[in-house]
Short mmCIF file of all heavy atoms in Angstrom, two decimals:
data_model
loop_
_atom_site.label_atom_id
_atom_site.label_comp_id
_atom_site.label_asym_id
_atom_site.label_seq_id
_atom_site.Cartn_x
_atom_site.Cartn_y
_atom_site.Cartn_z
N PRO Y 752 39.06 121.41 95.84
CA PRO Y 752 39.98 121.94 96.83
C PRO Y 752 39.42 123.10 97.70
O PRO Y 752 39.65 123.18 98.91
CB PRO Y 752 41.17 122.39 96.01
CG PRO Y 752 41.17 121.42 94.87
CD PRO Y 752 39.72 121.23 94.54
N HIS Y 753 38.65 123.99 97.06
CA HIS Y 753 38.16 125.15 97.75
C HIS Y 753 37.11 124.74 98.79
O HIS Y 753 36.77 125.57 99.73
CB HIS Y 753 37.57 126.21 96.83
CG HIS Y 753 36.26 125.80 96.21
ND1 HIS Y 753 36.17 125.03 95.07
CD2 HIS Y 753 34.94 126.03 96.62
CE1 HIS Y 753 34.89 124.84 94.79
NE2 HIS Y 753 34.15 125.44 95.69
N GLN Y 754 36.59 123.53 98.76
CA GLN Y 754 35.57 123.11 99.69
C GLN Y 754 36.20 122.43 100.94
O GLN Y 754 35.45 122.02 101.86
CB GLN Y 754 34.65 122.10 99.01
CG GLN Y 754 33.84 122.74 97.84
CD GLN Y 754 32.99 121.71 97.10
OE1 GLN Y 754 33.53 120.62 96.72
NE2 GLN Y 754 31.77 122.04 96.86
N LEU Y 755 37.50 122.38 100.92
CA LEU Y 755 38.20 121.77 102.12
C LEU Y 755 38.98 122.87 102.88
O LEU Y 755 39.28 123.92 102.34
CB LEU Y 755 39.28 120.74 101.62
CG LEU Y 755 38.70 119.61 100.77
CD1 LEU Y 755 39.87 118.68 100.33
CD2 LEU Y 755 37.66 118.79 101.52
N SER Y 756 39.17 122.59 104.19
CA SER Y 756 39.99 123.50 104.98
C SER Y 756 41.44 123.36 104.63
O SER Y 756 41.86 122.44 103.92
CB SER Y 756 39.75 123.18 106.44
OG SER Y 756 40.36 121.90 106.77
N GLY Y 757 42.27 124.28 105.17
CA GLY Y 757 43.69 124.19 104.89
C GLY Y 757 44.31 122.94 105.38
O GLY Y 757 45.14 122.33 104.66
N GLY Y 758 43.94 122.50 106.56
CA GLY Y 758 44.48 121.20 107.07
C GLY Y 758 44.03 120.03 106.20
O GLY Y 758 44.80 119.12 105.99
N GLN Y 759 42.79 120.03 105.75
CA GLN Y 759 42.28 118.92 104.91
C GLN Y 759 43.04 118.90 103.59
O GLN Y 759 43.37 117.85 103.07
CB GLN Y 759 40.83 119.08 104.74
CG GLN Y 759 39.98 118.80 105.98
CD GLN Y 759 38.48 119.17 105.79
OE1 GLN Y 759 38.15 120.05 105.02
NE2 GLN Y 759 37.64 118.50 106.53
N ARG Y 760 43.26 120.10 103.00
CA ARG Y 760 44.01 120.17 101.73
C ARG Y 760 45.41 119.63 101.93
O ARG Y 760 45.93 118.88 101.02
CB ARG Y 760 43.99 121.61 101.18
CG ARG Y 760 42.68 122.06 100.65
CD ARG Y 760 42.84 123.33 99.85
NE ARG Y 760 43.27 124.50 100.66
CZ ARG Y 760 42.40 125.35 101.22
NH1 ARG Y 760 41.09 125.20 101.13
NH2 ARG Y 760 42.85 126.34 101.94
N GLN Y 761 46.04 119.97 103.04
CA GLN Y 761 47.37 119.49 103.26
C GLN Y 761 47.40 117.93 103.40
O GLN Y 761 48.33 117.29 102.91
CB GLN Y 761 47.95 120.13 104.51
CG GLN Y 761 49.47 119.91 104.65
CD GLN Y 761 50.27 120.54 103.54
OE1 GLN Y 761 50.31 120.00 102.45
NE2 GLN Y 761 50.89 121.67 103.79
N ARG Y 762 46.37 117.37 104.01
CA ARG Y 762 46.28 115.93 104.09
C ARG Y 762 46.11 115.28 102.73
O ARG Y 762 46.66 114.23 102.45
CB ARG Y 762 45.13 115.55 105.03
CG ARG Y 762 45.40 115.87 106.48
CD ARG Y 762 44.20 115.56 107.38
NE ARG Y 762 44.36 116.10 108.72
CZ ARG Y 762 44.98 115.47 109.72
NH1 ARG Y 762 45.43 114.25 109.54
NH2 ARG Y 762 45.11 116.01 110.91
N VAL Y 763 45.34 115.95 101.82
CA VAL Y 763 45.23 115.43 100.46
C VAL Y 763 46.57 115.45 99.78
O VAL Y 763 46.94 114.50 99.08
CB VAL Y 763 44.18 116.27 99.70
CG1 VAL Y 763 44.23 115.89 98.22
CG2 VAL Y 763 42.80 116.10 100.30
N MET Y 764 47.33 116.55 99.95
CA MET Y 764 48.69 116.62 99.37
C MET Y 764 49.59 115.50 99.91
O MET Y 764 50.36 114.91 99.10
CB MET Y 764 49.29 117.96 99.66
CG MET Y 764 48.69 119.14 98.91
SD MET Y 764 48.94 119.07 97.15
CE MET Y 764 50.74 119.16 97.09
N ILE Y 765 49.52 115.21 101.17
CA ILE Y 765 50.28 114.14 101.72
C ILE Y 765 49.87 112.77 101.15
O ILE Y 765 50.69 111.94 100.80
CB ILE Y 765 50.14 114.09 103.28
CG1 ILE Y 765 50.76 115.39 103.85
CG2 ILE Y 765 50.80 112.84 103.86
CD1 ILE Y 765 50.52 115.55 105.34
N ALA Y 766 48.57 112.57 100.98
CA ALA Y 766 48.04 111.34 100.36
C ALA Y 766 48.59 111.19 98.93
O ALA Y 766 49.01 110.13 98.54
CB ALA Y 766 46.52 111.33 100.32
N MET Y 767 48.59 112.27 98.15
CA MET Y 767 49.14 112.22 96.82
C MET Y 767 50.61 111.89 96.82
O MET Y 767 51.09 111.08 96.01
CB MET Y 767 48.87 113.55 96.09
CG MET Y 767 47.42 113.87 95.88
SD MET Y 767 47.13 115.48 95.16
CE MET Y 767 47.87 115.34 93.52
N ALA Y 768 51.37 112.47 97.76
CA ALA Y 768 52.80 112.26 97.81
C ALA Y 768 53.14 110.81 98.23
O ALA Y 768 54.17 110.25 97.82
CB ALA Y 768 53.46 113.24 98.79
N LEU Y 769 52.27 110.22 99.06
CA LEU Y 769 52.53 108.87 99.56
C LEU Y 769 51.87 107.80 98.75
O LEU Y 769 51.96 106.60 99.07
CB LEU Y 769 52.10 108.78 101.01
CG LEU Y 769 52.76 109.69 101.99
CD1 LEU Y 769 52.24 109.43 103.39
CD2 LEU Y 769 54.26 109.54 101.96
N ALA Y 770 51.16 108.11 97.67
CA ALA Y 770 50.42 107.18 96.88
C ALA Y 770 51.27 105.99 96.43
O ALA Y 770 50.77 104.84 96.35
CB ALA Y 770 49.77 107.86 95.67
N ASN Y 771 52.55 106.23 96.15
CA ASN Y 771 53.38 105.17 95.62
C ASN Y 771 54.41 104.69 96.66
O ASN Y 771 55.39 104.02 96.30
CB ASN Y 771 54.13 105.61 94.36
CG ASN Y 771 53.16 105.89 93.23
OD1 ASN Y 771 52.35 105.00 92.89
ND2 ASN Y 771 53.18 107.09 92.68
N GLU Y 772 54.21 105.13 97.89
CA GLU Y 772 55.15 104.71 98.98
C GLU Y 772 56.61 105.00 98.58
O GLU Y 772 57.39 104.08 98.45
CB GLU Y 772 54.90 103.32 99.44
CG GLU Y 772 53.50 103.01 99.90
CD GLU Y 772 53.28 101.63 100.50
OE1 GLU Y 772 54.29 100.82 100.45
OE2 GLU Y 772 52.17 101.34 100.97
N PRO Y 773 56.95 106.27 98.41
CA PRO Y 773 58.31 106.62 97.89
C PRO Y 773 59.37 106.29 98.89
O PRO Y 773 59.14 106.14 100.11
CB PRO Y 773 58.17 108.15 97.66
CG PRO Y 773 57.17 108.56 98.72
CD PRO Y 773 56.14 107.46 98.75
N ASP Y 774 60.60 106.25 98.37
CA ASP Y 774 61.79 106.07 99.24
C ASP Y 774 62.10 107.36 99.99
O ASP Y 774 62.61 107.33 101.10
CB ASP Y 774 62.99 105.65 98.43
CG ASP Y 774 62.83 104.30 97.80
OD1 ASP Y 774 62.10 103.47 98.35
OD2 ASP Y 774 63.41 104.07 96.69
N LEU Y 775 61.82 108.53 99.33
CA LEU Y 775 62.15 109.79 99.86
C LEU Y 775 60.97 110.73 99.72
O LEU Y 775 60.43 110.90 98.64
CB LEU Y 775 63.37 110.42 99.20
CG LEU Y 775 63.72 111.89 99.57
CD1 LEU Y 775 64.14 111.97 101.04
CD2 LEU Y 775 64.80 112.47 98.64
N LEU Y 776 60.56 111.39 100.86
CA LEU Y 776 59.52 112.41 100.80
C LEU Y 776 60.17 113.73 101.13
O LEU Y 776 60.81 113.88 102.19
CB LEU Y 776 58.42 112.06 101.82
CG LEU Y 776 57.35 113.14 102.02
CD1 LEU Y 776 56.54 113.26 100.71
CD2 LEU Y 776 56.42 112.78 103.19
N ILE Y 777 59.95 114.72 100.27
CA ILE Y 777 60.35 116.07 100.50
C ILE Y 777 59.18 116.90 100.97
O ILE Y 777 58.17 116.97 100.27
CB ILE Y 777 61.00 116.72 99.23
CG1 ILE Y 777 62.23 115.92 98.78
CG2 ILE Y 777 61.37 118.16 99.50
CD1 ILE Y 777 62.81 116.37 97.42
N ALA Y 778 59.27 117.46 102.14
CA ALA Y 778 58.17 118.26 102.72
C ALA Y 778 58.60 119.72 102.81
O ALA Y 778 59.46 120.05 103.66
CB ALA Y 778 57.77 117.72 104.07
#
């Protein structure tokens, strides 16, 4: 994580949240 920028880390978090294609995403 420390090797990524803030925007890149946020994209990783979004990828993790969408990994299972949820019905509801809380941002």
Side-chain angles (χ1 to χ4, degrees):
H753 73 274
Q754 296 174 314
L755 303 179
S756 69
Q759 289 171 334
R760 288 193 293 267
Q761 193 62 285
R762 290 175 190 273
V763 171
M764 288 294 297
I765 294 172
M767 294 174 68
L769 299 182
N771 297 305
E772 300 186 357
D774 295 331
L775 173 66
L776 175 66
I777 299 173

